[in-house]
Amino acid sequence: MFEKISDQLKKAKNIVFVTGAGISQESGIPTFRGKDGLWRKYDPMTLATIDAFYQNPKLVWEWYEERRQNILAANPNPGHKAIAELEQYKQVSVLTQNIDGLHQRAGSTNVYELHGSIITIKCTVCDFKDTITSNFTQLPPLCKCGNMLRPDVVWFGEALPQDIWKSAIEQSSSCDVMVVVGTSLAVSPANLLPVYAKQNGALMIEVNPDETPMSGTMDLSVRSSAAKTLPELISIVK
Ligand code: OAD
């Protein structure tokens, strides 16, 4: 799989992974745009925007609660674990669009959550933010200040957390190798990160069973799953 670029991989000091829903697919978490994708069944405009939230907070919360339970019951797969293991050999950053926390649970220590986290909540009004530790007795849950709490995720139309986005651009603009795994690259601005890496002359690798808009610019596209492919990448670097 990686023979063509194995020398460059061995020499690389700084490897950045850009990940999306596809890396967690083999952990049993559905993607958004694939065959069984969430956005094929549900309309994101009724579940993942601030307007939808204010229109029907209970519905939005119920949807996120169901996903959160599914995510908490899931486990990191060999793809997540391989990325975490790579930290023993290289400087590694993970720029993820996923909100599931599976990279961290696999052991990755340098994870930038571009779209927030389903495991944290924040107040719609005050500065309160916390990790969810138990189930809620009522939905929507309320903050101590009396206003509604919401999942700490980025909804359509909302800006990315600016400190995380700035770091993601810095990492992408300075890496030797970028590995883009399990993302359709359909959502902006996260889909710009490979452009920054390419401009810096990074070796570009894609792991995805399907083509993406950036496939034509990759040095290597592996048309296979993350859990099958990433352990092999690590075995070359070891
Ligand atoms: P998508 O559902 O758009 O794309 C998932 C990608 O993973 C597709 O390109 C699949 O071909 C690929 N894939 C599927 N199974 C795979 C596997 N086992 N191994 C490797 N690749 C696999 O998900 P994202 O690109 O992550 O944002 O979506 C980006 C954003 O759109 C999400 O963060 C979410 C969504 O709307 C918000 O909610 C703001």
Side-chain angles (χ1 to χ4, degrees), residues 96-112:
T96 189
Q97 296 162 83
N98 298 345
I99 59 174
D100 57 30
L102 288 182
H103 284 298
Q104 294 93 321
R105 281 170 56 198
S108 285
T109 59
N110 208 9
V111 182
Y112 296 81

Side-chain angles (χ1 to χ4, degrees), residues 20-23 25-26 31-34 39 48 97-98 115 154-156 181-187 207-210 212 224-226:
I23 194 168
Q25 185 262 338
E26 287 153 292
T31 64
F32 293 95
R33 295 174 183 79
W39 295 156
Q97 296 162 83
N98 298 345
H115 291 168
V154 174
W155 281 327
F156 286 99
V181 189
T183 171
S184 60
L185 295 175
V187 173
V207 178
N208 196 316
D210 294 333
T212 73
S224 181
S225 86

Side-chain angles (χ1 to χ4, degrees), residues 14-198:
N14 179 354
I15 303 185
V16 167
F17 288 83
V18 171
T19 67
I23 194 168
S24 296
Q25 185 262 338
E26 287 153 292
S27 292
I29 300 173
T31 64
F32 293 95
R33 295 174 183 79
K35 187 163 56 72
D36 301 316
L38 292 172
W39 295 156
R40 298 219 174 191
K41 275 190 250 161
Y42 304 102
D43 175 4
M45 293 306 128
T46 64
L47 292 167
T49 69
I50 192 72
D51 288 348
F53 180 69
Y54 279 114
Q55 210 153 9
N56 197 341
K58 190 162 187 285
L59 174 83
V60 171
W61 258 112
E62 279 168 356
W63 192 66
Y64 275 91
E65 271 304 278
E66 196 184 318
R67 285 178 67 201
R68 189 168 69 92
Q69 297 305 335
N70 181 30
I71 283 167
L72 289 177
N75 289 307
N77 66 53
H80 300 104
K81 288 181 189 164
I83 296 176
E85 191 188 342
L86 190 61
E87 283 188 20
Q88 292 172 32
Y89 311 98
K90 304 282 182 190
Q91 191 186 319
V92 177
S93 310
V94 183
L95 316 179
T96 189
Q97 296 162 83
N98 298 345
I99 59 174
D100 57 30
L102 288 182
H103 284 298
Q104 294 93 321
R105 281 170 56 198
S108 285
T109 59
N110 208 9
V111 182
Y112 296 81
E113 294 180 309
L114 301 165
H115 291 168
S117 164
I118 202 165
I119 299 142
T120 53
I121 40 172
K122 65 181 180 184
C123 182
T124 46
V125 176
C126 78
D127 289 340
F128 177 79
K129 198 175 201 173
D130 204 0
T131 305
I132 305 173
T133 49
S134 56
N135 289 344
F136 298 107
T137 47
Q138 62 160 44
L139 293 177
L142 297 181
C143 182
K144 284 195 188 114
C145 77
N147 292 292
M148 281 191 292
L149 293 165
R150 57 167 279 183
D152 185 19
V153 297
V154 174
W155 281 327
F156 286 99
E158 293 185 323
L160 269 51
Q162 286 306 290
D163 49 340
I164 290 178
W165 178 240
K166 191 166 163 268
S167 301
I169 293 175
E170 281 165 11
Q171 306 278 343
S172 301
S173 307
S174 60
C175 61
D176 304 321
V177 177
M178 176 171 275
V179 190
V180 183
V181 189
T183 171
S184 60
L185 295 175
V187 173
S188 181
N191 61 0
L192 296 174
L193 294 171
V195 178
Y196 286 103
K198 182 80 187 166

